[in-house]
Amino acid sequence: MKTIDASHGEGGGQVVRTACALAAMTGEGVRLVNMRAGRRPPGLAAQHLTAVRAVAALCDAEVAGLALGAREIVFLPGRIKPGEFRFDVGTAGSVTLVLQALLPAALCAPGPVRVTVTGGTDVRATPTVDYFQRVFLPLLARTGARASLRIVRRGYYPRGGGEVELTIEPCGRFAPLRLEQAGALELIEGFAYCANLPGHIAARMANAATARLAGLRVRIDTRVLGRTEAFGPGGAIVLAARTAHALLGALAVAERGVPAERLGELAADELRPEIESGATLDVHAADQLLVYLARAAGPSVFLARTLSLHVQTVCWLLEQFLPVRFRSSAQGALSRLEVMPA
Ligand SMILES: Nc1ncnc2c1ncn2[C@@H]1O[C@H](COP(=O)(O)OP(=O)(O)OP(=O)(O)O)[C@@H](O)[C@H]1O
């Protein structure tokens, strides 16, 4: 069993989620110490606890020390099994981060997995469900992984209560991604949504994003998503830029006191430098895809505006579990990362 100092690098929840996913995938037990040591409050919050429980249920793991606020756990995985699972974060903690923990292992199950997660669907500083569905999953599909997300109900702070259902097909080995250049910009799509707020909020977000990106001289196709049942007021906008070879995402989540127009502009201002830099993965997709690329059938490569601390930390963690090497270099103003599984 290995011991991982979960305060290394970025030192947040992602180290915990990824370490449990890797333990499940490799069958090797892990002791995680100093979990979220630098966060206030430190230790596991509801979202992290649910994520660990979800991976544990999927692989029949024994987990010692698992509790709210825990700073140390021991995770002893069993076999990954297919089937239907249901988890409830219990707060507005992000459902997609629970899926982030579960999905790498679920794709290694010997049969289909269907998982229902209840919690927050559009949470700041996390992938919103629309980013997950329209940016992350399509990128993951390029590795041959097949998973589809159904948004049953949206849920917002403080109650959460949103529900999503992820269906995952078994996947042999992941295909590598060779994202050497973005190529010409072809289309920008936008998806705006709001719940239990005046309907014009979503339209204003979408219109402001469109106006902000007009100078790029490309077709911009933004739309307001149909309303589903939702707990609490909230909303978000996701933008997805398609180039010949890349798909780049950006988002903004509604916040009390921030005008709808400003949210559309914030998302546009996130997306624009991704497009103009020539990146082939946006800064967030980069850290989210690494675990799959590290297990791919050959070397992968991508260009990112910057290798975030999340990326650097996940690379370090992957090296603790897998026979994989990483090589980073500068390509103009971009960072190029090669992922080389043994
Ligand atoms: N704007 C965004 N768009 C897409 N993904 C995002 C965005 N912001 C953050 N993420 C993703 O959300 C994840 C956040 O992980 P992180 O460990 O920081 O969160 P956490 O579990 O809430 O932990 P902590 O509270 O300890 O920081 C990362 O995978 C990151 O790429």
Side-chain angles (χ1 to χ4, degrees), residues 137-164:
L137 285 180
L139 287 170
L140 185 63
R142 297 187 187 187
T143 71
R146 280 185 297 154
S148 63
L149 186 80
R150 190 165 78 89
I151 302 164
V152 180
R153 189 170 56 239
R154 306 266 178 162
Y156 298 97
Y157 185 82
R159 189 171 159 197
E163 185 172 306
V164 295

Side-chain angles (χ1 to χ4, degrees), residues 6-327:
S7 67
H8 183 94
E10 212 279 326
Q14 195 182 30
V15 179
V16 176
R17 290 187 297 274
T18 312
C20 292
L22 286 164
M25 289 162 96
T26 59
E28 187 179 355
V30 62
R31 177 191 300 275
L32 289 170
V33 299
N34 298 329
M35 290 188 299
R36 301 186 74 248
R39 303 298 202 259
R40 291 286 161 262
L44 298 183
Q47 170 253 112
H48 312 105
L49 194 68
T50 311
V52 176
R53 282 203 180 116
V55 186
L58 188 74
C59 70
D60 276 334
E62 279 179 35
V63 192
L66 194 57
L68 268 183
R71 298 187 204 189
E72 181 169 332
I73 55 169
V74 175
F75 187 99
L76 298 174
R79 284 236 172 95
I80 301 174
K81 61 186 184 205
E84 300 215 0
F85 302 85
R86 179 175 275 276
F87 306 101
D88 185 354
V89 179
T91 66
S94 162
V95 293
T96 58
L97 292 186
V98 175
L99 299 177
Q100 186 182 75
L102 185 113
L103 185 53
L107 286 162
C108 300
V113 172
R114 167 120 46 101
V115 55
T116 305
V117 185
T118 310
T121 52
D122 305 81
V123 181
R124 279 174 61 199
T126 77
T128 59
V129 284
D130 299 301
Y131 178 93
F132 194 85
Q133 190 177 47
R134 296 171 193 276
V135 180
F136 172 72
L137 285 180
L139 287 170
L140 185 63
R142 297 187 187 187
T143 71
R146 280 185 297 154
S148 63
L149 186 80
R150 190 165 78 89
I151 302 164
V152 180
R153 189 170 56 239
R154 306 266 178 162
Y156 298 97
Y157 185 82
R159 189 171 159 197
E163 185 172 306
V164 295
E165 191 182 276
L166 187 69
T167 307
I168 303 138
E169 298 299 326
C171 174
R173 199 110 195 249
F174 303 109
L177 293 184
R178 305 289 307 174
L179 299 171
E180 307 257 13
Q181 53 173 338
L185 179 61
E186 294 175 345
L187 171 68
I188 297 175
E189 289 179 290
F191 308 93
Y193 180 88
C194 72
N196 300 318
L197 294 170
H200 58 77
I201 301 254
R204 284 163 51 205
M205 287 194 272
N207 292 340
T210 305
R212 193 77 154 196
L213 294 169
L216 290 174
R217 299 185 187 287
V218 66
R219 186 156 74 93
I220 303 173
D221 187 1
T222 52
R223 58 190 153 107
V224 172
L225 296 171
R227 293 195 169 206
T228 50
E229 192 195 340
F231 280 128
I237 178 166
V238 169
L239 300 173
R242 264 169 221 290
T243 70
H245 308 295
L247 175 61
L248 304 160
L251 61 86
V253 175
E255 247 179 281
R256 194 187 291 270
V258 181
E261 285 75 14
R262 186 72 201 117
L263 294 166
E265 289 167 4
L266 281 171
D269 290 350
E270 282 281 323
L271 187 69
R272 196 181 185 116
E274 297 286 357
I275 296 170
E276 290 180 339
S277 68
T280 57
L281 286 182
D282 69 64
V283 285
H284 300 294
D287 78 67
Q288 293 165 38
L289 285 166
L290 278 171
V291 63
Y292 306 94
L293 304 185
R295 294 270 292 197
S300 294
V301 63
F302 63 82
L303 304 172
R305 239 171 356 112
T306 169
L307 296 181
S308 67
L309 192 52
H310 276 99
V311 165
Q312 296 171 42
T313 308
V314 176
C315 289
W316 166 81
L317 189 57
L318 289 165
E319 283 172 337
Q320 314 298 307
F321 281 89
L322 299 173
V324 60
R325 286 182 305 123
F326 299 91
R327 191 189 299 143

